[in-house]
Amino acid sequence: MRLSAFKVLAKPIMAATIKPKVFKAAVRTGLLGLGGISLYAQAANLEPAKANLKSPTANMQLIDLRDDEVPVGNEADDLSDLDMLSAADETDNWTDDDIDAQGDPSALDESDEVYSDIPDEVAQVSLSAISPETLKTFVAAVDLVRREYIDPVNDEELFNNAMSGMLTKLDSHAEFLDAEAYENLRAFTQGDVGDIGLQAEYQPEVGYWVVTQVIADSPADTKGIAVGDYLHQIDEFKLDEYKQSNDVKQLLNGIAGTQVDLVTSKAGRRKHTVTLQRNNSHPQTIGIRLIDKMAVIKLPAFQDNSREQILQSLTSLDAPVAGILLDLRDNPGGVLTSAVKVASLFMTDTDVVQVESRQKPLRVLSTQGSALLKPLPVVILQNRYSASAAEVVASSLQTQKRAAIVGEVSYGKGSVQSVLPLNDEQAIKLTVAHYLTATGKDIDKIGVQPDVILSGNESTWEQQALEILSQQVNSSGIRFVLKSQLEQDAVGTVRENSTK
């Protein structure tokens, strides 16, 4: 079957927004990233809305252009079997890091799950189980801060900080989420990436990275960071003259609602560590360009609708596509189910990722639905900030020899975080699982090794990747067309013929 013989037809629909309120038993859908998360949604609230939500690809069809007639019934490859909200949830209703589920504390009490590996002494912890001396010390510390700290401190803020400190000491990816951070994490699945509202540049005359811009009312501004402050460290990364501006930018940016630790100082003064949440959020959109029949798709993060956005962007080209360059540079990850759905565009009946956790046996997530882009050669471009869900897609296509991976070694984040609600407005984010490649290889702190290492100025990498892709292109390509437009053209042709 010739590659040029097909068209993909899509009919756009309006997307529905589901905003859960009261939460009960959790249904999980997944989310990963440099600040990977998972949100819990009430099954009772989600299912009725889900039943009324039409798949964005329900009317997208693969049409053989060699036929004289355009199929309008079931003859074409209907994509309605791929559900927008649960494409990767068919594996016992369990997915990766499980994120899209929101529950209140009562959901934990009503759960039927029994965790046999939890020691009895910590299975039910009451205040009486904690050493009186420990409680006394904690209360004394709070009292000292109240009385002696230079500025008045709200008790609620003190206890929130205590919870945050407990979690960050436990795990660098664990966090206490206030109302704003929790809402931003939920918004991320719809397309938000966040920053803390500052820019910095290296100034050789002082030998430090210096803050050059602070956005008013941004997280950086509210925590007292000002223009002229020195920026010494971002999380565990110490800054020096060898860091590039893009390095600093990507370290500051991440999934909306996640947090980042900065070490700053006023020039010549004592260093200070501050924790900021990336609440200065902004929507992300998929970028696409066509170069010599090769589609360059820039995917900034994996959101619920990334698969649909890729297909819709291909229709916007209105030209044949003979190859795909998937640019995952600086992609921090995102929703794991989205990564599985994107991988499913290129492969059929293929394992994508393995997930192992303390409480559940090893799970394998596989491709689902129609692999519309299977006939096209693929090159994936990554850098050291391609993380988590981006690494899932790259490793799965690499394992199956479905795509060549070019660039540099990716970030190496193989841990899975879940957001566990404390109430309607606050939650904690914990590491609950690790993911492995489809063949069981570890990614955490290792990353995905590229097939072709690119060096030099990163601005030249796209052209180098396109040269590699062009060597694999051997057909006239696939043209992606909206079904509604094709039907409209067909009606116009009929009318024109009837007037002759």
Side-chain angles (χ1 to χ4, degrees), residues 246-447:
N246 189 58
D247 293 329
V248 174
K249 178 181 177 181
Q250 294 309 319
L251 289 171
L252 294 173
N253 293 348
I255 293 172
T258 58
Q259 68 185 25
V260 59
D261 292 330
L262 302 186
V263 177
T264 65
S265 71
K266 304 298 180 183
R269 297 183 183 179
R270 196 173 191 177
K271 292 181 180 178
H272 173 66
T273 300
V274 60
T275 299
L276 302 171
Q277 288 176 329
R278 298 179 176 99
N279 292 345
N280 189 44
S281 60
H282 38 88
Q284 298 290 296
T285 57
I286 290 178
I288 189 166
R289 292 174 292 122
L290 190 64
I291 301 175
D292 296 331
K293 294 187 178 180
M294 294 176 288
V296 180
I297 301 174
K298 175 64 175 175
L299 189 60
F302 287 88
Q303 272 93 27
D304 286 339
N305 61 350
S306 291
R307 177 187 186 275
E308 288 72 34
Q309 283 192 7
I310 288 174
L311 293 175
Q312 295 291 348
S313 65
L314 287 169
T315 66
S316 70
L317 294 175
D318 194 24
V321 176
I324 301 288
L325 174 58
L326 186 59
D327 189 347
L328 298 181
R329 287 179 295 177
D330 304 329
N331 185 314
V335 184
L336 184 58
T337 53
S338 174
V340 173
K341 288 192 284 184
V342 169
S344 298
L345 285 172
F346 302 98
M347 306 180 294
T348 56
D349 300 323
T350 304
D351 293 341
V352 175
V353 64
Q354 297 182 14
V355 184
E356 60 179 4
S357 68
R358 176 183 173 188
Q359 307 297 355
K360 294 178 179 290
L362 186 71
R363 292 287 199 253
V364 178
L365 304 182
S366 304
T367 56
Q368 307 241 344
S370 302
L372 295 179
L373 306 182
K374 187 175 182 180
L376 299 175
V378 184
V379 167
I380 293 179
L381 181 57
Q382 66 177 29
N383 65 3
R384 57 190 175 279
Y385 300 114
S386 305
S388 207
E391 294 174 297
V392 168
V393 171
S395 65
S396 65
L397 269 66
Q398 183 184 54
T399 298
Q400 299 300 323
K401 302 187 184 305
R402 179 63 187 88
I405 312 301
V406 304
E408 59 187 353
V409 179
S410 61
Y411 187 90
K413 183 184 180 297
S415 60
V416 178
Q417 284 72 43
S418 286
V419 169
L420 310 173
L422 297 170
N423 49 54
D424 288 344
E425 294 186 342
Q426 296 172 316
I428 62 174
K429 178 160 72 73
L430 286 176
T431 298
V432 296
H434 289 91
Y435 70 84
L436 311 171
T437 68
T439 56
K441 293 182 179 180
D442 201 353
I443 289 178
D444 199 45
K445 296 181 174 62
I446 296 174

